[in-house]
Short mmCIF file of all heavy atoms in Angstrom, two decimals:
data_model
loop_
_atom_site.label_atom_id
_atom_site.label_comp_id
_atom_site.label_asym_id
_atom_site.label_seq_id
_atom_site.Cartn_x
_atom_site.Cartn_y
_atom_site.Cartn_z
N ALA A 45 0.83 -1.20 0.00
CA ALA A 45 0.00 0.00 0.00
C ALA A 45 0.87 1.25 0.00
O ALA A 45 0.59 2.21 -0.73
CB ALA A 45 -0.93 0.00 1.22
N GLU A 46 1.92 1.25 0.81
CA GLU A 46 2.80 2.43 0.86
C GLU A 46 3.57 2.62 -0.44
O GLU A 46 3.77 3.74 -0.89
CB GLU A 46 3.73 2.32 2.06
CG GLU A 46 2.98 2.48 3.37
CD GLU A 46 3.82 2.22 4.62
OE1 GLU A 46 5.01 1.84 4.48
OE2 GLU A 46 3.28 2.38 5.72
N CYS A 47 3.98 1.52 -1.08
CA CYS A 47 4.68 1.61 -2.36
C CYS A 47 3.76 2.16 -3.45
O CYS A 47 4.15 3.06 -4.21
CB CYS A 47 5.20 0.22 -2.74
SG CYS A 47 6.13 0.20 -4.28
N ILE A 48 2.55 1.64 -3.52
CA ILE A 48 1.58 2.13 -4.51
C ILE A 48 1.31 3.61 -4.28
O ILE A 48 1.25 4.41 -5.22
CB ILE A 48 0.26 1.32 -4.44
CG1 ILE A 48 0.50 -0.11 -4.91
CG2 ILE A 48 -0.84 1.99 -5.24
CD1 ILE A 48 -0.63 -1.06 -4.58
N ASN A 49 1.16 4.00 -3.02
CA ASN A 49 0.91 5.40 -2.69
C ASN A 49 2.04 6.30 -3.18
O ASN A 49 1.80 7.33 -3.81
CB ASN A 49 0.72 5.55 -1.18
CG ASN A 49 0.33 6.95 -0.81
OD1 ASN A 49 -0.71 7.44 -1.24
ND2 ASN A 49 1.17 7.63 -0.05
N ARG A 50 3.29 5.92 -2.88
CA ARG A 50 4.44 6.73 -3.30
C ARG A 50 4.53 6.83 -4.81
O ARG A 50 4.78 7.91 -5.37
CB ARG A 50 5.73 6.17 -2.72
CG ARG A 50 5.94 6.51 -1.26
CD ARG A 50 7.35 6.18 -0.80
NE ARG A 50 7.73 4.80 -1.02
CZ ARG A 50 7.48 3.80 -0.18
NH1 ARG A 50 6.86 4.04 0.96
NH2 ARG A 50 7.86 2.57 -0.44
N LEU A 51 4.32 5.71 -5.50
CA LEU A 51 4.40 5.73 -6.97
C LEU A 51 3.34 6.63 -7.58
O LEU A 51 3.62 7.41 -8.49
CB LEU A 51 4.28 4.31 -7.52
CG LEU A 51 5.47 3.39 -7.30
CD1 LEU A 51 5.13 1.96 -7.69
CD2 LEU A 51 6.67 3.89 -8.08
N LEU A 52 2.11 6.52 -7.11
CA LEU A 52 1.05 7.37 -7.65
C LEU A 52 1.31 8.84 -7.35
O LEU A 52 1.08 9.70 -8.19
CB LEU A 52 -0.31 6.95 -7.09
CG LEU A 52 -1.03 5.83 -7.81
CD1 LEU A 52 -2.33 5.49 -7.11
CD2 LEU A 52 -1.29 6.18 -9.26
N ALA A 53 1.77 9.13 -6.13
CA ALA A 53 2.02 10.52 -5.76
C ALA A 53 3.13 11.13 -6.61
O ALA A 53 3.07 12.31 -6.97
CB ALA A 53 2.37 10.60 -4.28
N GLN A 54 4.15 10.35 -6.94
CA GLN A 54 5.26 10.86 -7.75
C GLN A 54 4.87 11.05 -9.20
O GLN A 54 5.35 11.96 -9.86
CB GLN A 54 6.45 9.90 -7.67
CG GLN A 54 7.13 9.92 -6.33
CD GLN A 54 8.21 8.85 -6.23
OE1 GLN A 54 8.41 8.06 -7.15
NE2 GLN A 54 8.88 8.82 -5.10
N ARG A 55 4.01 10.20 -9.72
CA ARG A 55 3.64 10.25 -11.13
C ARG A 55 2.52 11.23 -11.42
O ARG A 55 2.32 11.62 -12.56
CB ARG A 55 3.25 8.87 -11.62
CG ARG A 55 4.40 7.89 -11.61
CD ARG A 55 3.95 6.55 -12.14
NE ARG A 55 3.39 6.68 -13.47
CZ ARG A 55 4.00 6.33 -14.59
NH1 ARG A 55 5.20 5.82 -14.54
NH2 ARG A 55 3.41 6.47 -15.75
N ALA A 56 1.78 11.60 -10.40
CA ALA A 56 0.59 12.44 -10.62
C ALA A 56 0.98 13.85 -11.03
O ALA A 56 1.76 14.50 -10.36
CB ALA A 56 -0.25 12.48 -9.34
N LYS A 57 0.46 14.27 -12.15
CA LYS A 57 0.69 15.63 -12.62
C LYS A 57 -0.51 16.52 -12.30
O LYS A 57 -0.48 17.71 -12.50
CB LYS A 57 0.96 15.61 -14.12
CG LYS A 57 2.17 14.75 -14.47
CD LYS A 57 2.80 15.22 -15.74
CE LYS A 57 3.97 14.42 -16.21
NZ LYS A 57 4.76 13.71 -15.30
N SER A 58 -1.54 15.92 -11.81
CA SER A 58 -2.74 16.64 -11.41
C SER A 58 -3.28 15.98 -10.15
O SER A 58 -2.56 15.31 -9.45
CB SER A 58 -3.77 16.62 -12.55
OG SER A 58 -4.17 15.29 -12.79
N ASP A 59 -4.53 16.16 -9.90
CA ASP A 59 -5.16 15.56 -8.73
C ASP A 59 -5.56 14.12 -8.98
O ASP A 59 -6.71 13.74 -8.82
CB ASP A 59 -6.39 16.38 -8.32
CG ASP A 59 -6.01 17.73 -7.78
OD1 ASP A 59 -4.86 17.88 -7.33
OD2 ASP A 59 -6.86 18.63 -7.79
N MET A 60 -4.60 13.29 -9.39
CA MET A 60 -4.88 11.89 -9.67
C MET A 60 -4.69 11.07 -8.40
O MET A 60 -3.69 11.22 -7.71
CB MET A 60 -3.94 11.37 -10.75
CG MET A 60 -4.28 9.97 -11.20
SD MET A 60 -3.20 9.48 -12.56
CE MET A 60 -2.18 8.30 -11.72
N TYR A 61 -5.65 10.25 -8.10
CA TYR A 61 -5.54 9.36 -6.95
C TYR A 61 -6.41 8.13 -7.21
O TYR A 61 -7.12 8.06 -8.21
CB TYR A 61 -5.96 10.06 -5.66
CG TYR A 61 -7.40 10.53 -5.66
CD1 TYR A 61 -8.41 9.70 -5.22
CD2 TYR A 61 -7.74 11.80 -6.11
CE1 TYR A 61 -9.73 10.11 -5.22
CE2 TYR A 61 -9.04 12.22 -6.12
CZ TYR A 61 -10.04 11.38 -5.66
OH TYR A 61 -11.33 11.79 -5.67
N ALA A 62 -6.32 7.17 -6.33
CA ALA A 62 -7.10 5.94 -6.47
C ALA A 62 -7.51 5.45 -5.09
O ALA A 62 -6.94 5.86 -4.08
CB ALA A 62 -6.28 4.87 -7.17
N THR A 63 -8.50 4.59 -5.06
CA THR A 63 -8.87 3.95 -3.80
C THR A 63 -8.27 2.55 -3.77
O THR A 63 -7.99 1.96 -4.81
CB THR A 63 -10.41 3.86 -3.64
OG1 THR A 63 -10.94 3.08 -4.70
CG2 THR A 63 -11.03 5.24 -3.66
N LEU A 64 -8.08 2.06 -2.57
CA LEU A 64 -7.54 0.72 -2.38
C LEU A 64 -8.39 0.02 -1.34
O LEU A 64 -8.65 0.57 -0.27
CB LEU A 64 -6.08 0.77 -1.92
CG LEU A 64 -5.44 -0.57 -1.57
CD1 LEU A 64 -5.26 -1.42 -2.82
CD2 LEU A 64 -4.10 -0.36 -0.90
N ASP A 65 -8.84 -1.17 -1.66
CA ASP A 65 -9.68 -1.95 -0.76
C ASP A 65 -9.15 -3.37 -0.78
O ASP A 65 -9.26 -4.06 -1.78
CB ASP A 65 -11.11 -1.91 -1.30
CG ASP A 65 -12.15 -2.31 -0.28
OD1 ASP A 65 -11.79 -2.92 0.75
OD2 ASP A 65 -13.33 -2.01 -0.51
N ALA A 66 -8.53 -3.79 0.33
CA ALA A 66 -7.91 -5.11 0.37
C ALA A 66 -8.18 -5.78 1.71
O ALA A 66 -8.31 -5.10 2.73
CB ALA A 66 -6.42 -5.01 0.14
N ILE A 67 -8.23 -7.09 1.68
CA ILE A 67 -8.39 -7.86 2.91
C ILE A 67 -7.50 -9.10 2.81
O ILE A 67 -7.44 -9.74 1.76
CB ILE A 67 -9.86 -8.23 3.18
CG1 ILE A 67 -10.01 -8.92 4.54
CG2 ILE A 67 -10.42 -9.10 2.08
CD1 ILE A 67 -11.45 -9.00 5.00
N LEU A 68 -6.78 -9.37 3.87
CA LEU A 68 -5.89 -10.52 3.94
C LEU A 68 -6.39 -11.39 5.08
O LEU A 68 -6.39 -10.97 6.23
CB LEU A 68 -4.45 -10.07 4.19
CG LEU A 68 -3.39 -11.15 4.25
CD1 LEU A 68 -3.29 -11.89 2.92
CD2 LEU A 68 -2.05 -10.53 4.61
N ILE A 69 -6.84 -12.60 4.75
CA ILE A 69 -7.44 -13.50 5.74
C ILE A 69 -6.48 -14.63 6.08
O ILE A 69 -5.95 -15.29 5.18
CB ILE A 69 -8.78 -14.07 5.23
CG1 ILE A 69 -9.76 -12.93 4.95
CG2 ILE A 69 -9.36 -15.06 6.23
CD1 ILE A 69 -11.04 -13.36 4.27
N ASP A 70 -6.26 -14.84 7.37
CA ASP A 70 -5.47 -15.97 7.86
C ASP A 70 -6.46 -17.08 8.21
O ASP A 70 -7.16 -16.98 9.23
CB ASP A 70 -4.65 -15.57 9.08
CG ASP A 70 -3.79 -16.70 9.61
OD1 ASP A 70 -4.06 -17.88 9.29
OD2 ASP A 70 -2.85 -16.40 10.36
N PRO A 71 -6.56 -18.13 7.39
CA PRO A 71 -7.56 -19.17 7.63
C PRO A 71 -7.31 -19.97 8.90
O PRO A 71 -8.24 -20.54 9.46
CB PRO A 71 -7.49 -20.06 6.39
CG PRO A 71 -6.17 -19.78 5.77
CD PRO A 71 -5.78 -18.39 6.17
N GLU A 72 -6.07 -20.01 9.36
CA GLU A 72 -5.79 -20.77 10.59
C GLU A 72 -6.28 -20.06 11.84
O GLU A 72 -6.85 -20.67 12.72
CB GLU A 72 -4.30 -21.06 10.69
CG GLU A 72 -3.84 -22.08 9.66
CD GLU A 72 -2.39 -22.49 9.86
OE1 GLU A 72 -1.88 -22.37 10.99
OE2 GLU A 72 -1.78 -22.92 8.88
N SER A 73 -6.03 -18.74 11.92
CA SER A 73 -6.43 -18.00 13.12
C SER A 73 -7.81 -17.36 12.98
O SER A 73 -8.42 -16.97 13.98
CB SER A 73 -5.41 -16.91 13.43
OG SER A 73 -5.42 -15.91 12.43
N GLY A 74 -8.28 -17.19 11.74
CA GLY A 74 -9.57 -16.55 11.52
C GLY A 74 -9.50 -15.03 11.59
O GLY A 74 -10.52 -14.37 11.63
N THR A 75 -8.28 -14.47 11.59
CA THR A 75 -8.16 -13.02 11.61
C THR A 75 -8.11 -12.48 10.19
O THR A 75 -7.64 -13.14 9.27
CB THR A 75 -6.90 -12.56 12.37
OG1 THR A 75 -5.74 -13.12 11.74
CG2 THR A 75 -6.95 -12.95 13.83
N ALA A 76 -8.60 -11.27 10.05
CA ALA A 76 -8.59 -10.59 8.76
C ALA A 76 -7.97 -9.22 8.94
O ALA A 76 -8.38 -8.47 9.83
CB ALA A 76 -10.00 -10.47 8.20
N SER A 77 -6.97 -8.89 8.13
CA SER A 77 -6.37 -7.56 8.11
C SER A 77 -7.03 -6.79 6.97
O SER A 77 -7.02 -7.25 5.83
CB SER A 77 -4.86 -7.63 7.90
OG SER A 77 -4.26 -8.31 8.97
N VAL A 78 -7.57 -5.64 7.29
CA VAL A 78 -8.34 -4.86 6.33
C VAL A 78 -7.60 -3.56 6.02
O VAL A 78 -7.20 -2.85 6.95
CB VAL A 78 -9.74 -4.54 6.89
CG1 VAL A 78 -10.55 -3.73 5.91
CG2 VAL A 78 -10.47 -5.83 7.27
N ALA A 79 -7.43 -3.28 4.73
CA ALA A 79 -6.85 -2.02 4.28
C ALA A 79 -7.88 -1.33 3.40
O ALA A 79 -8.33 -1.89 2.41
CB ALA A 79 -5.58 -2.27 3.48
N LYS A 80 -8.25 -0.13 3.79
CA LYS A 80 -9.22 0.64 3.02
C LYS A 80 -8.68 2.06 2.92
O LYS A 80 -8.71 2.80 3.88
CB LYS A 80 -10.58 0.61 3.70
CG LYS A 80 -11.09 -0.82 3.90
CD LYS A 80 -12.48 -0.87 4.43
CE LYS A 80 -13.52 -0.54 3.41
NZ LYS A 80 -13.55 -1.32 2.20
N LEU A 81 -8.15 2.40 1.77
CA LEU A 81 -7.59 3.74 1.57
C LEU A 81 -8.50 4.50 0.61
O LEU A 81 -8.48 4.27 -0.60
CB LEU A 81 -6.16 3.65 1.02
CG LEU A 81 -5.15 3.14 2.05
CD1 LEU A 81 -5.07 1.64 2.03
CD2 LEU A 81 -3.81 3.75 1.80
N GLY A 82 -9.31 5.36 1.16
CA GLY A 82 -10.25 6.13 0.36
C GLY A 82 -11.44 5.32 -0.11
O GLY A 82 -12.25 5.81 -0.89
N ALA A 83 -11.56 4.10 0.33
CA ALA A 83 -12.64 3.22 -0.12
C ALA A 83 -13.81 3.27 0.88
O ALA A 83 -13.61 3.46 2.07
CB ALA A 83 -12.14 1.78 -0.24
N PRO A 84 -15.03 3.09 0.38
CA PRO A 84 -16.18 3.05 1.28
C PRO A 84 -16.13 1.80 2.17
O PRO A 84 -15.38 0.87 1.88
CB PRO A 84 -17.38 3.01 0.33
CG PRO A 84 -16.85 2.48 -0.94
CD PRO A 84 -15.41 2.89 -1.02
N PRO A 85 -16.91 1.78 3.22
CA PRO A 85 -16.90 0.62 4.13
C PRO A 85 -17.27 -0.68 3.43
O PRO A 85 -18.02 -0.69 2.46
CB PRO A 85 -17.95 0.96 5.19
CG PRO A 85 -18.19 2.42 5.07
CD PRO A 85 -17.87 2.80 3.66
N SER A 86 -16.73 -1.76 3.95
CA SER A 86 -17.18 -3.10 3.59
C SER A 86 -17.96 -3.61 4.80
O SER A 86 -17.97 -2.98 5.85
CB SER A 86 -15.97 -4.02 3.34
OG SER A 86 -15.24 -3.57 2.23
N TYR A 87 -18.59 -4.76 4.63
CA TYR A 87 -19.43 -5.26 5.72
C TYR A 87 -19.20 -6.74 5.94
O TYR A 87 -18.89 -7.49 5.02
CB TYR A 87 -20.91 -5.01 5.40
CG TYR A 87 -21.22 -3.54 5.31
CD1 TYR A 87 -21.18 -2.89 4.09
CD2 TYR A 87 -21.50 -2.81 6.45
CE1 TYR A 87 -21.43 -1.53 4.01
CE2 TYR A 87 -21.76 -1.45 6.38
CZ TYR A 87 -21.73 -0.82 5.15
OH TYR A 87 -21.96 0.52 5.08
#
């Protein structure tokens, strides 16, 4: 996420941005890490 952010910020010549919505699930522990950058809520 931080790499994508830096690349987009460096390449943007105007107000270009994007949203990021990702979830990483560990099936053994049942935990989910959620990344939502500018994205609406998930449920």
Side-chain angles (χ1 to χ4, degrees):
E46 290 173 358
C47 182
I48 292 167
N49 185 61
R50 282 192 304 274
L51 288 171
L52 275 178
Q54 289 174 357
R55 294 182 56 105
K57 301 206 182 333
S58 63
D59 291 338
M60 186 176 108
Y61 62 89
T63 61
L64 175 68
D65 197 344
I67 185 166
L68 181 63
I69 300 172
D70 181 341
E72 289 186 25
S73 67
T75 59
S77 297
V78 180
K80 303 186 75 56
L81 289 88
S86 296
Y87 297 93

